[in-house]
Amino acid sequence: LSFRTPVRDLMFSLTEVAGFSDLHASGGFPDYDAETAGAVLEAAGQIADEVIAPLSRTGDQTGARLEGGRVIAAPGYREAWKAFVQVGWPALSGDPEHGGQGAPKALAAAMLEATCAADLAFSLCPILTMGAADALDAHGDERQKILFLPKLVSGEWTGTMNLTEPQAGSDLALVRTRAEPDGAGGYRLYGQKIFITWGDHDCAENVVHLVLARLPDAPEGVKGISLFLAPKHLVDAEGRPGELNAISVGGIEHKLGIHASPTCTMLFEGAAAELVGAPNGGLACMFTMMNAARLLVGVQGVGVAERAFQKARDYALERRQGRSPWSADPAALLVDQPDVRRALVLMKARIEAARGICFSTAVAGDLARCAATDMARAAARRREDLLTPIAKAWSTDVGVEVASSALQVHGGMGFIEETGAAQLYRDARILPIYEGTNGIQAIDLVGRKLGLDGGLAWRELIDDLIWAVEDMDEPELAEVRARLDEGVRAIDAAARWLGERRGGAEALAGATPFLKLVGDVTGGWMLAKGAAAALRRHPDPAFVRSRVAMARIYAEQVLAGVAGQAEAVTAGVGDLAAMDMADLAA
Ligand SMILES: Cc1cc2nc3c(=O)[nH]c(=O)nc-3n(C[C@H](O)[C@H](O)[C@H](O)COP(=O)(O)OP(=O)(O)OC[C@H]3O[C@@H](n4cnc5c(N)ncnc54)[C@H](O)[C@@H]3O)c2cc1C
């Protein structure tokens, strides 16, 4: 049973939950109304379902390989990448000045969700390429933009993000790669980067590496990091790729999942490079790419969850086991077992909640660029900044949870590789780790985002939630309204408690449970918005029923727990601090 891109759900989430129509109304995207967005997603879904999804199994089994020092992509990936480039998907939200189609990032996020669901390993290539193009667009000089941007925007060349080193993971202050002036206005890079996604491959003509490194006189720590561009093939004045740069692949990692995404050790052995942005200003530049990538890793969580859900639903619609109170059949379908049905509905509810959060973050990012007034742009920027760590961490946790539930629905067959449920679980497990671990996202939420603009970003979110609760007058949603109201109060109280302890051990220890609860409540809001919109104007009664049921079941099963779980945020660190890790010894 194969994957089908849920175009109707994607469109509903964009337009009825995330506020996509605000983008068209802002005048910033005159060519992209809801109808055009729907046509784009239909076409993107076709490529995802028919060209990319069929590769994911063989990609998992075969993986990418290193041959003669260069990476050969898994079978079929080269052709799939060419097809993906030919239909113009990498360029969808690119700057028209450099060959892009100028679509909202929110629409690109929906297109990428379909790609991620079809094959997570494949999706990393366009995601990093689009991120590299954004970073260069924002921080590159005119010559760099002319030489590199059109090729990155079109996807003829791909991009990478080279941050991690053996001693520098979450803590980029420890980056050691050196950049030495070459005497002719350029630089030579020396150092080793590890875990570089799609660091090398044979799908595109060139690979543009964005690399964090230190100049000779750089100060210690993050204030001494600069951003460099180093292409795999050196590029002449006309932009033609020529001889190989001094960058080699030290190896490809053997991983738990995403086997077709080559995770490379990259050796910079005097590689010719050019500075992007100001000297020592590299981290700020890289944040353009990292923030976009964080949101899109959240989208990856939604995509893999959608694929896992579809697989579990289809299996539960075929497999018969045991009697059911809802069926006369002595061997009922799994979907008629209340426990399995609850699991399936919660899986789908979490997906819709996370999708709503991710698309809302993307719409806020688009409005931050194109809203009509300075004030509206600033408010949208605050919302994007606040939601980004939640979109990344909560949605990727949803990805792992849903993939795990989907495997469970398959019973023993889930543990057997043949069904593909196990692959999705293995693939999903990277998502809470890369692009800033979910622990680091939680610390970002508590340490930086809660206090953003003197706490205004948080206040605005809470005010929107309160307003949404007050506005919800559908009798079908009375319980959802009550649970959401409790949840909003609980997270706001927890935020105040954390705010009084910002930077201290108590706030750091409470960060992960806090982010989870904020995600739970914000997700509940997304489901409530969807249910209310469906009740008000959706023509299909089955769709309306499903939206209302999802919101209500989520409220009973998830929101009902928020107030109690808030105690985990405010528990403090007394016992933790008093503990000697030797106490845990056997
Ligand atoms: C498959 C894969 C692909 C990747 N792709 C890329 C890529 O393309 N480019 C790139 O540059 N990197 C990439 N990475 C690296 C990835 O971003 C890092 O692995 C990640 O940021 C975590 O760093 P680390 O592995 O060194 O873990 P560490 O930083 O050592 O963290 C270990 C644990 O400690 C926690 N921790 C660390 N510091 C703190 C702190 N201050 N407070 C609280 N908790 C803390 C973390 O949350 C984590 O749970 C990739 C990694 C993998 C596995």
Side-chain angles (χ1 to χ4, degrees):
L1 294 167
S2 55
F3 167 72
R4 282 279 159 269
T5 295
V7 174
R8 180 171 73 163
D9 290 344
L10 292 173
M11 277 308 295
F12 185 79
S13 188
L14 273 179
T15 54
E16 298 291 354
V17 178
F20 186 79
S21 51
D22 295 350
L23 297 176
H24 189 57
S26 73
F29 301 95
D31 298 337
Y32 289 92
D33 58 8
E35 201 183 319
T36 316
V40 166
L41 292 181
E42 283 289 349
Q46 206 180 350
I47 294 276
D49 302 354
E50 293 171 16
V51 178
I52 302 168
L55 294 178
S56 67
R57 190 74 197 282
T58 46
D60 180 57
Q61 289 166 341
T62 315
R65 65 181 201 280
L66 195 57
E67 223 178 77
R70 306 274 34 137
V71 175
I72 312 294
Y77 278 63
R78 202 178 139 90
E79 294 72 23
W81 179 251
K82 296 237 174 309
F84 193 76
V85 169
Q86 215 158 36
V87 289
W89 296 143
L92 182 59
S93 60
D95 187 343
E97 225 180 281
H98 305 292
Q101 298 168 36
K105 300 272 183 216
L107 182 57
M111 177 276 289
L112 286 167
E113 191 206 298
T115 313
C116 297
D119 185 11
L120 197 56
F122 178 91
S123 74
L124 286 162
C125 190
I127 285 175
L128 283 156
T129 301
M130 290 159 91
D134 284 351
L136 210 56
D137 201 4
H139 306 289
D141 61 29
E142 277 316 301
R143 194 193 62 84
Q144 289 167 341
K145 288 185 190 181
I146 290 167
L147 280 190
F148 296 97
L149 258 183
K151 300 283 193 183
L152 279 174
V153 167
S154 69
E156 284 165 87
W157 298 353
T158 67
T160 70
M161 180 167 71
N162 285 251
L163 281 61
T164 307
E165 298 178 8
Q167 78 295 341
S170 301
D171 188 357
L172 292 173
L174 302 176
V175 160
R176 276 194 211 136
T177 296
R178 287 179 293 123
E180 293 184 359
D182 64 3
Y187 296 86
R188 297 272 165 192
L189 296 181
Y190 298 90
Q192 184 193 33
K193 295 284 178 181
I194 61 168
F195 299 161
I196 303 310
T197 297
W198 284 92
D200 191 55
H201 57 86
D202 60 347
C203 297
E205 192 185 24
N206 207 355
V207 182
V208 178
H209 301 289
L210 293 184
V211 188
L212 289 184
R214 286 182 186 284
L215 290 164
D217 53 354
E220 291 288 298
V222 289
K223 293 204 168 95
I225 297 175
S226 304
L227 180 62
F228 295 87
L229 182 157
K232 171 178 171 178
H233 288 275
L234 297 171
V235 171
D236 70 16
E238 270 73 52
R240 285 182 300 249
E243 65 179 287
L244 281 169
N245 203 349
I247 304 170
S248 61
V249 182
I252 309 183
E253 302 296 346
H254 297 280
K255 312 188 289 289
L256 181 66
I258 52 166
H259 293 153
S261 165
T263 306
C264 303
T265 299
M266 303 301 298
L267 306 172
F268 293 86
E269 299 156 319
E274 39 191 286
L275 185 67
V276 178
N280 302 327
L283 204 58
C285 298
M286 201 54 135
F287 257 103
T288 306
M289 187 165 178
M290 279 155 71
N291 274 332
R294 282 176 178 182
L295 166 61
L296 292 176
V297 173
V299 169
Q300 290 173 29
V302 183
V304 78
E306 174 67 39
R307 178 121 195 220
F309 164 74
Q310 288 192 18
K311 203 174 259 304
R313 180 202 55 201
D314 293 349
Y315 187 76
L317 282 166
E318 279 189 346
R319 168 88 170 158
R320 291 178 177 278
Q321 283 296 289
R323 289 192 176 278
S324 153
W326 296 329
S327 155
D329 208 312
L333 290 171
L334 288 182
V335 280
D336 285 330
Q337 300 297 351
D339 190 51
V340 175
R341 192 179 293 183
R342 180 193 46 77
L344 287 167
V345 175
L346 264 180
M347 285 158 77
K348 182 65 175 159
R350 286 200 161 93
I351 290 166
E352 293 302 341
R355 183 176 280 147
I357 292 175
C358 288
F359 289 177
S360 299
T361 311
V363 166
D366 285 320
L367 285 172
R369 289 181 290 124
C370 75
T373 65
D374 284 353
M375 229 166 76
R377 283 194 294 277
R381 173 73 64 214
R382 281 193 294 277
R383 179 59 54 89
E384 182 195 18
D385 286 349
L386 178 65
L387 288 185
T388 295
I390 303 162
K392 194 278 170 176
W394 196 80
S395 307
T396 55
D397 283 344
V398 163
V400 175
E401 267 174 61
V402 170
S404 175
S405 296
L407 192 151
Q408 190 73 16
V409 166
H410 284 79
M413 283 310 287
F415 200 68
I416 308 299
E417 288 288 349
E418 202 178 299
T419 58
Q423 182 193 341
L424 294 169
Y425 183 53
R426 288 187 285 100
D427 282 356
R429 194 58 190 84
I430 183 59
L431 302 174
I433 297 172
Y434 61 28
E435 217 32 72
T437 64
N438 284 4
I440 296 296
Q441 303 300 324
I443 289 169
D444 178 48
L445 174 65
V446 168
R448 290 184 53 238
K449 303 298 170 63
L450 272 186
L452 199 67
D453 273 6
L456 186 58
W458 177 255
R459 245 342 332 126
E460 287 167 338
L461 178 69
I462 292 294
D463 287 348
D464 278 359
L465 281 161
I466 292 171
W467 186 84
V469 168
E470 283 171 4
D471 190 46
M472 211 185 295
D473 53 8
E474 293 78 5
E476 297 90 336
L477 300 178
E479 179 75 1
V480 177
R481 178 190 158 120
R483 297 294 187 195
L484 198 52
D485 186 39
E486 278 167 23
V488 176
R489 286 169 206 276
I491 58 169
D492 200 24
R496 268 198 301 280
W497 189 91
L498 291 168
E500 286 158 13
R501 292 161 178 79
R502 191 162 304 137
E506 287 172 313
L508 292 169
T512 288
F514 178 70
L515 185 146
K516 177 187 177 302
L517 295 184
V518 177
D520 287 350
V521 172
T522 313
W525 176 33
M526 300 296 154
L527 288 168
K529 274 203 234 188
L535 279 166
R536 285 170 199 172
R537 52 185 167 268
H538 204 282
D540 177 357
F543 185 84
V544 178
R545 266 199 314 277
S546 74
R547 293 287 149 165
V548 171
M550 271 195 283
R552 285 162 52 147
I553 291 169
Y554 182 93
E556 292 154 12
Q557 303 276 323
V558 179
L559 292 179
V562 168
Q565 287 170 34
E567 287 175 27
V569 179
T570 57
V573 286
D575 287 333
L576 279 181
M579 199 159 173
D580 185 333
M581 289 313 282
D583 299 348
L584 295 182

